[in-house]
Amino acid sequence: VSCGDLRGARRVVREMRNAGLAPGVVEHTSLMKGHLDAGDVHGAEGVFEAMSSQQPPVAPDRRAVNTFLRGCVKLGDVEAAERVRARLGVWGVEPDATTWKCAVQLLSQGLRLSPARAIARELRAAGAGEVLGSLDNDVFLPLAVARTACLLG
């Protein structure tokens, strides 16, 4: 996938399945990244569905979720990101600094001031120092909210 060969990556996953080998979260995450690099958010979202329908099911981890969210930031797909973010609890994925940064960045890109502001406030009120102190979130989150507020007037 890193070399831009999404077709080849999908073929390898298909061959794994045909050989009785179940792709794990790493393989699925790589495939998801390939879809996102190709601008195919729908295909990347379909990887989550393939993971849950596989026997036994493969639960996405934080890296898979953050890979998807970063792709959504790049492609500007707020709705897809919010659909995935809504499933974090079902998958048992705890958001980290990257998850929150992507969420606020996407909401800001989509000019969704209220939910972006709510996340920033909740994190600050919860004293989420490890989230706010890493990845420049202490500055980034309020700045993203302020930028959105300025754009909306």
Side-chain angles (χ1 to χ4, degrees):
V1 172
S2 294
C3 63
D5 187 10
L6 177 59
R7 183 174 298 159
R10 291 193 334 220
R11 180 179 38 77
V12 168
V13 169
R14 194 170 40 254
E15 288 172 2
M16 285 178 69
R17 287 188 178 117
N18 290 341
L21 301 170
V25 69
V26 172
E27 293 82 10
H28 284 292
T29 302
S30 295
L31 189 57
M32 186 183 312
K33 184 174 181 342
H35 280 285
L36 292 164
D37 287 348
D40 181 14
V41 175
H42 181 73
E45 211 169 352
V47 173
F48 284 120
E49 299 310 317
M51 292 169 79
S52 63
S53 65
Q54 182 174 305
Q55 292 304 320
V58 176
D61 61 7
R62 188 180 296 143
R63 182 177 295 270
V65 168
N66 287 343
T67 295
F68 184 82
L69 293 177
R70 280 190 299 272
C72 288
V73 167
K74 178 180 167 187
L75 299 170
D77 198 328
V78 181
E79 289 78 19
E82 287 299 285
R83 283 191 301 272
V84 165
R85 207 167 61 84
R87 297 172 71 185
L88 295 183
V90 173
W91 294 329
V93 174
E94 285 292 323
D96 67 357
T98 300
T99 313
W100 290 121
K101 183 174 183 174
C102 288
V104 171
Q105 189 171 1
L106 277 157
L107 291 167
S108 295
Q109 283 177 341
L111 300 178
R112 297 183 185 180
L113 179 59
S114 293
R117 183 180 282 154
I119 289 172
R121 282 184 182 155
E122 287 172 27
L123 288 173
R124 190 160 304 282
E130 70 282 351
V131 171
L132 292 174
S134 58
L135 290 177
D136 71 2
N137 282 349
D138 196 32
V139 173
F140 177 83
L141 297 180
L143 181 60
V145 170
R147 243 189 254 138
T148 303
C150 286
L151 286 170
L152 292 173

